[in-house]
Amino acid sequence: MLLFGGTIVKVSLTGVYLRYVKEGLRPFLVVAGLILVAAAVMTLWHEWRKPSASKQHDHGHDDGHGHAHEPWVGWLMMLPALALLLMAPPALGSYAAGQAGTISASEISDAPPLPPGDVVPLSLLEYASRSLYDGGKSLAGRKVRLVGFITPGADGKPMLARIIMSCCAADGRPIKVGLAGDVPSAAPDTWVEVVGRYTATTSKDPVNDADIPYLEVASWTQTATPEKPYQ
């Protein structure tokens, strides 16, 4: 319990928790971890205060030689904590994106103008909404910058994706954007930053038959995994 609670506190303070839950849940994780640590410390203190004879009477069964046997299965509780400390699973990526259908973009009919600038940064979800439901009017003649990871499309060609979650990684769903033009030649799960322009090309996601917008890529660069991999 002490190890498990300490692990929760550690991943919460180092930012690793962002691979599994939304940023706003951090305080709850810290409190939960501290409660586990406090409970473990109180349990140890209580056990150490017991007289030796009382401990032997309370714990397991004596083997006839004065040794009490503890149930070893309790030590299995250490495994998930050790796994999280030593080999923390990465954030959801291309495999998860390939298994789930793209999120349907929010319907808009009159999107506000893009802010000034040579290249406008947009989330994949905002680009999809403007592209599919605004007819690309607010994107016409503008360059946009999208950041996401590479995932193979149904035809094997690379697409750009990002996982969107409501609460935790268990409810994460991908938003996908098809790529045309200077398509990135990068392996799946590689994070890239692409700059391009709106194109009216669309396709259907074979998983849920939702529309997938496309971007005409002008340039792209590989980038590091963002601190907040989910949107």
Side-chain angles (χ1 to χ4, degrees), residues 138-231:
S138 63
L139 300 169
R142 303 297 302 276
K143 281 187 177 181
V144 298
R145 179 187 294 114
L146 307 180
V147 176
F149 58 83
I150 297 297
T151 186
D155 56 2
K157 296 180 180 179
M159 306 182 76
L160 197 64
R162 197 84 182 249
I163 301 296
I164 297 178
M165 66 178 180
S166 301
C167 174
C168 59
D171 62 30
R173 290 277 307 281
I175 178 70
K176 306 174 188 177
V177 173
L179 302 174
D182 183 16
V183 179
S185 55
D189 290 313
T190 302
W191 283 83
V192 296
E193 179 182 281
V194 298
V195 174
R197 298 180 183 274
Y198 162 77
T199 174
T201 304
T202 62
S203 66
K204 292 286 187 180
D205 192 317
V207 179
N208 63 350
D209 204 38
D211 291 320
I212 297 177
Y214 273 67
L215 179 75
E216 185 73 24
V217 180
S219 63
W220 66 276
T221 55
Q222 185 172 333
T223 186
T225 302
E227 181 182 356
K228 300 177 183 178
Y230 301 124
Q231 287 186 344

Side-chain angles (χ1 to χ4, degrees), residues 15-45:
V16 176
Y17 78 101
L18 290 172
R19 301 180 187 178
Y20 317 115
V21 297
K22 296 194 73 170
E23 185 176 13
L25 295 178
R26 182 178 188 174
F28 300 99
L29 286 176
V30 173
V31 170
L34 291 176
I35 290 175
L36 286 173
V37 170
V41 170
M42 291 298 295
T43 301
L44 289 172
W45 179 73

